[in-house]
Structures are given as structure tokens and as C-alpha cells.
Amino acid sequence: MVKELKDINMQLMVSVWSKYDKKTTFFKDMTKKDQMLNGTVYYDAWNSKARENFYSYSKTAHFDIGVAALWLDATEPEGFPNVDHNTALGSGNALMNSYSLMTTRAIQNGLKRDYKTTMGARPFALTRSSFAGQQETGAALWSGDISGKWDSLRRQVSASLNYAMSGMPYWSEDMGGFFRPSDQYVNSDYHDLLVRWFQFGAFTPLYRVHGGGSNTEIWNYGSQVEALLNNTNTLRYRFLPYTYSGFAKCALDGYTMQRAMVMDYKTMTNVADQFMWGDSILVAPIVTEIDNSAKSRSVALPTVVGGWINFWTGESMSSMNSNGENGEQSVTVVTVTAPIDESPLLIKSGTVLSLGPMKQYVAEKLNDPIEIRIYTGANGTFELYEDDGKSRDYLETKKYTLIKFDWKDTLKQLVIDDRVGSYDGMLKRRTFRIVRVGVGRGVGLLPEVKPEKIVTYVGEKMVVQL
């Protein structure tokens, strides 16, 4: 089955709990070796030999047959068997919250040792709890078994922002909720919620759907819903060059892509339902029934040079402040329309936005050509990061490339600098389709049919006059 999935370009992640049925050989073996936690069915994650055993079981059962990653559930651990007991490392109370760190590290260390060029090159796990520094293990948190209700969606936004502000860049959720209504496949109100949830999820670190007791494949909700959700899937993939460049900064510079407004605009301390995606994109998802019915919502826009531009229409949403400088203290509240197929996305003036081709999966084809959308009204820069997408060469031998785009607004010039760096398999010859965004031009999901310039880039500095 794993091979069949790989043949259709899917990778398998298996749900594994760090507990054992008492009838299993795992439980009997680790109990005999005093590696279980206080006589419970959970292993002692603070015992180094127990961690090695925990990993070895999954190595045999999963990784040796090509399973790509583990979904490490219940890493609180569930039921708190360490409370008021000792662990191999000391007080269970003192160590309580680090169980997930120990468990995800056990898997990561084993993968890096035994599968250096495959699963161990960029280890990944999904887990229900987290601890300081856990991002180093390649483990992403998800927010647990949430309900498929509007209020849950609203609270997921603030939850994700608080998590990112703790310094952890990898967050995930059950889009659509884990607990769903019994009539989910025919309930039009739930369908609206599902569509809006995908639109929010497309601008979170991990984009994934999950539901308990459900067939969550998008075709189960009817052709209209399927089409809307596929549009959002396509949007997520088109944003890959921008998003991947941002996550390179997470890995190399301690950045976080999902950013509470206060991280970039210091007076916006109480905004919990909108955020920045990287430096340039303001995401304001529809998260209430009222806004969904109104097909619009209010958005707080910090004052920036040149203002903000609606991604879907190209319309300017605000103007620059009177002295022509960034006015972080000033905020303008505007109403943004949001029909069911559009979630409000506002792009900062001066943005050089890189959008990739349509894809069905990441490795289907290289990101070429790339559409470069320029949002005029201010100067701006963007660095396009690329690597081989699979190895650790980007980290260990600095094999990656950076291409800097510098937009000079007054001169109407886009300067594309010399490419810096290299990696195995890189595209030496690139096509950039460059378009200045205007009302109805260079907007929305689809590539602009008639860009201002189509240029061939071979790694040497060039100046494009628009």
C-alpha cells in the first residue's frame, strides 16, 4: 500500500501513540526493562533507552517499509501518568510538559541516523503538544480535537497567533473541525464554514484537513464545494515560492511566517482575527456567520507608504500618510468585500510577490515560470529562496540560491540581482513573467495573460524597465 501511494505521489503518515496495549510484546519487553512510566501503559520518555526502543518499534513497523512520518498523538501524555511520580530523569511534575520534546526527539534522532538521505534529511512529525525548542525536531503542533463550529474557527486564528508568538513557527489544525455535524455532507451552512476554514488554513504553516468519523475528501461535499476548495488548494500552491522563501527564514534566521499584527505594527496589540503572512500579505479570514452572510468584513489597516491593495481586485484600500513615511501608530478600518470564493487578502504597496505555476503536488514540476506581481506605490524588495527541496544540503553545506528583486517605484524599475549560491539540480535559466498590478490586472488566482514583460534570467543582474 505504501508503494502504491508513492506511485501516485502521496506520502503516508501513520498515527502512533506512545502507549502500548498490555497484551503486546512492546509493553511486556519495556516493562521487563523498567522503561514504562510508573506502571502505566505509557513509556518513560525521559529514559534514553526507552526512547531508543520506542523509535525502533516504528522503524521496523513503519519506516522500513517507506512510511514518511509519524503522527505522534497524546504527547501530553494523555492522562498525565507522570504527575506526582518520578521519571528516569527526576520529578514527573517538574518535567511534565517536556514529554513531547523527548518523544519527537527520539524519532528525529533515529531518522537522522538511519535514513540520512530520505526521511531523516528533513524529519517531520505531527504532535498534539509542544515544548520550548521543539521546532528543532521537525515536529509541528496541531490544536487537537476541535469542533466544526464558527466559534471554533474564530478561536483558531488567535490560537495560531499566540503559538507563533511563543517562537514556534510550525502550527496546524483540523480544518473543518474534528467533531462535525451529522449532516455535514448536505448542510449548506457547514459547507460555508468549511470553505472559509480552508481559506484561513491556506495561510497557516501546515495546510491539512482532518475529521473524526468522517470521510473528509472534498468531493463528498458536492461539486460546488469541491470547486471552491480546489480554488483554495490552487492558491496555496501558487503561493509556494513566496511561502517557501519565508520558511527558509524560519529555518535559517529564527523567523515566523504567521505573524500577529503587533509583531510588525507595534500599536496593534488587540487584533486577534487578522495577521500578516510574511512581511507583505495581510490575511483577514472570514470567521463569523455574520461576516459570511454579509460577504464582507472590517479590516484594520496600519498606515504604510503607498497603502494596501486588494489581491482579488487590484483596488487600493488606503493611502499613504501625509508625511510619506511609515506611520505605525496610525490604523484605518476599512470594509473589504468577501464573496464565498474570496477571503480578504491585502498586499502592502512595494511588494514584489512571486507566484508559481499551477500544481497538483509540490514535486510535480519546478517553479517555472514564476509570475512576479509588483504592487506599486512604494519601493520594495523580495528575496526568492530555492533549494533541492529534499536534502539537508541547504543547512550543512549552504547549497541554496537567493535571487533578490528590488523595485524602485519612482524609476519604475525592477532590478533583479545576480543569483547568489547554487544547489544540485537548480534551474540555471529562469522565466519571469512581470506584471504591475492595477484594477483588474495581475489579480486573483489565475496568472495574468498579458504581463508587461517576460524576461529570461540566467543568474546575472538585469534591470527591467516597466
Side-chain angles (χ1 to χ4, degrees):
M1 185 188 71
V2 176
K3 183 181 183 303
E4 288 181 20
L5 290 172
K6 285 188 174 182
D7 287 344
I8 58 172
N9 304 293
M10 292 184 70
Q11 299 186 70
L12 180 64
M13 177 170 63
V14 175
S15 176
V16 172
W17 290 46
S18 51
K19 62 183 289 189
Y20 307 116
D21 189 289
K22 290 184 177 181
K23 298 176 183 177
T24 61
T25 55
F26 313 132
F27 177 81
K28 294 173 183 176
D29 178 51
M30 294 185 79
T31 298
K32 186 184 301 182
K33 294 174 180 175
D34 196 27
Q35 294 175 352
M36 300 302 290
L37 196 56
N38 310 315
T40 70
V41 293
Y42 279 89
Y43 90 112
D44 189 340
W46 296 277
N47 181 322
S48 59
K49 293 182 178 178
R51 289 197 300 274
E52 181 61 30
N53 270 346
F54 174 67
Y55 161 75
S56 69
Y57 299 142
S58 274
K59 178 181 185 299
T60 302
H62 303 127
F63 298 126
D64 281 350
I65 62 170
V67 169
L70 295 186
W71 182 332
L72 297 166
D73 207 342
T75 47
E76 292 76 36
E78 190 168 271
F80 309 117
N82 48 326
V83 171
D84 296 333
H85 292 279
N86 283 329
T87 72
L89 201 61
S91 165
N93 293 355
L95 296 167
M96 177 176 168
N97 289 337
S98 61
Y99 187 95
S100 59
L101 174 64
M102 296 292 101
T103 298
T104 55
R105 185 175 286 167
I107 298 300
Q108 181 215 41
N109 289 346
L111 289 176
K112 290 173 70 173
R113 180 189 66 214
D114 298 334
Y115 306 92
K116 293 181 181 179
T117 61
T118 53
M119 292 83 80
R122 300 187 180 192
F124 173 76
L126 189 64
T127 187
R128 200 166 72 186
S129 296
S130 193
F131 190 73
Q134 190 167 298
Q135 68 270 26
E136 183 270 338
T137 70
L141 181 91
W142 101 96
S143 55
D145 296 345
I146 54 179
S147 296
K149 298 179 180 179
W150 283 101
D151 194 55
S152 287
L153 170 57
R154 180 187 62 80
R155 289 186 284 122
Q156 288 299 289
V157 180
S158 56
S160 64
L161 299 180
N162 284 322
Y163 187 73
M165 285 193 287
S166 75
M168 310 288 279
Y170 307 115
W171 180 87
S172 176
E173 62 182 325
D174 292 350
M175 292 192 305
F178 180 81
F179 300 108
R180 298 178 172 211
S182 58
D183 61 348
Q184 60 175 308
Y185 307 116
V186 295
N187 183 327
S188 61
D189 292 333
Y190 178 76
H191 292 172
D192 280 4
L193 171 64
L194 187 64
V195 169
R196 295 304 192 182
W197 213 317
F198 268 64
Q199 291 170 351
F200 162 58
F203 293 94
T204 58
L206 274 76
Y207 179 61
R208 51 175 287 278
V209 63
H210 179 55
S214 298
N215 297 314
T216 58
E217 298 89 352
I218 61 177
W219 53 83
N220 290 309
Y221 298 89
S223 58
Q224 183 178 1
V225 174
E226 181 182 4
L228 289 168
L229 298 181
N230 265 331
N231 282 345
T232 304
N233 294 340
T234 299
L235 188 69
R236 173 78 174 193
Y237 277 88
R238 288 217 69 203
F239 267 86
L240 270 178
Y242 176 86
T243 299
Y244 197 70
S245 298
F247 273 95
K249 291 168 64 177
C250 295
L252 301 172
D253 302 326
Y255 187 68
T256 181
M257 270 296 282
Q258 195 177 6
R259 307 177 64 76
M261 297 302 297
V262 71
M263 296 177 75
D264 297 318
Y265 304 98
K266 62 185 179 181
T267 62
M268 299 184 71
T269 57
N270 62 345
V271 179
D273 63 352
Q274 63 180 67
F275 55 91
M276 297 298 296
W277 183 244
D279 298 330
S280 301
I281 301 168
L282 193 159
V283 181
I286 299 297
V287 295
T288 69
E289 287 181 276
I290 293 174
D291 287 346
N292 182 62
S293 297
K295 295 181 173 55
S296 66
R297 63 155 289 176
S298 61
V299 181
L301 295 180
T303 302
V304 297
V305 175
W308 298 84
I309 295 97
N310 189 316
F311 173 82
W312 300 104
T313 66
E315 295 173 304
S316 178
M317 301 302 298
S318 63
S319 59
M320 68 180 179
N321 56 339
S322 58
N323 60 10
E325 299 176 352
N326 284 331
E328 293 185 334
Q329 306 300 316
S330 177
V331 174
T332 302
V333 177
V334 299
T335 298
V336 181
T337 59
I340 191 63
D341 59 340
E342 296 177 8
S343 184
L345 298 175
L346 289 306
I347 315 298
K348 185 165 61 174
S349 288
T351 292
V352 180
L353 180 62
S354 61
L355 298 175
M358 307 278 198
K359 291 186 179 186
Q360 291 295 310
Y361 55 96
V362 172
E364 180 187 7
K365 51 190 171 184
L366 297 173
N367 284 329
D368 191 72
I370 286 181
E371 182 177 44
I372 302 296
R373 293 186 182 180
I374 298 172
Y375 294 81
T376 60
N379 295 332
T381 61
F382 172 72
E383 272 194 324
L384 176 67
Y385 169 96
E386 294 179 307
D387 61 25
D388 65 20
K390 57 187 179 181
S391 77
R392 295 186 69 78
D393 289 350
Y394 77 97
L395 193 61
E396 295 175 352
T397 56
K398 307 301 180 186
K399 286 188 176 181
Y400 57 81
T401 61
L402 292 171
I403 302 174
K404 184 179 179 182
F405 297 81
D406 189 2
W407 170 247
K408 301 179 184 299
D409 197 64
T410 302
L411 298 175
K412 307 305 177 193
Q413 286 181 350
L414 180 65
V415 179
I416 308 175
D417 279 350
D418 292 335
R419 179 170 47 217
V420 176
S422 66
Y423 62 89
D424 296 340
M426 62 178 270
L427 272 177
K428 296 180 180 179
R429 190 179 185 87
R430 309 299 305 264
T431 299
F432 297 129
R433 298 170 58 86
I434 304 168
V435 56
R436 277 193 296 174
V437 174
V439 176
R441 179 169 180 76
V443 300
L445 176 65
L446 299 177
E448 172 59 44
V449 176
K450 296 181 179 180
E452 267 86 354
K453 293 287 179 70
I454 300 176
V455 301
T456 300
Y457 175 78
V458 294
E460 298 175 352
K461 182 177 179 178
M462 61 191 306
V463 179
V464 182
Q465 187 70 49
L466 296 177

